[in-house]
Amino acid sequence: MTDLNFTTTQRLARLEAAQEMLGFLVAVRAEWISAERKKTQPDTTKIAQWEAEQTSFFDLEDDLRLDNLDAIEQVIATYGPVARRLFKSR
């Protein structure tokens, strides 16, 4: 979706959407980790997986740049459906 005709405001809105989406996914993983740790016998494999996913989301968010619309749109396309599904299930 590379569109050099996007205004700075439009690019910023897409960047913020991608950042908020990743932030939401990090928060969901934190909830899952917390709930799992409270169990009598926590599944450490799940916790490790979710912690790795959190790190991946943090890294993706940290790497996003206003001048890289392709990366922003890739995050939205990849994680948007996942975030929407999780949000609706709450």
Side-chain angles (χ1 to χ4, degrees):
M1 178 182 173
T2 303
D3 187 341
L4 300 176
N5 294 322
F6 269 38
T7 66
T8 300
T9 301
Q10 290 168 321
R11 287 174 178 265
L12 185 56
R14 297 301 284 174
L15 174 61
E16 289 174 350
Q19 290 171 325
E20 287 189 22
M21 195 176 307
L22 292 169
F24 173 72
L25 293 173
V26 166
V28 168
R29 296 313 187 275
E31 289 175 5
W32 293 352
I33 291 166
S34 177
E36 190 64 32
R37 284 186 174 147
K38 290 177 183 176
K39 292 181 178 178
T40 305
Q41 294 185 329
D43 185 335
T44 56
T45 303
K46 284 183 180 178
I47 292 171
Q49 175 188 337
W50 295 331
E51 288 174 337
E53 289 170 359
Q54 279 185 311
T55 299
S56 176
F57 296 144
F58 277 126
D59 291 346
L60 280 170
E61 184 178 359
D62 193 47
D63 289 342
L64 290 177
R65 299 289 178 263
L66 188 59
D67 64 350
N68 190 348
L69 191 58
D70 286 338
I72 293 167
E73 292 303 321
Q74 181 63 38
V75 165
I76 292 170
T78 302
Y79 298 106
V82 175
R84 275 189 292 280
R85 188 183 77 244
L86 289 169
F87 188 76
K88 286 181 181 180
S89 71
R90 298 178 139 239

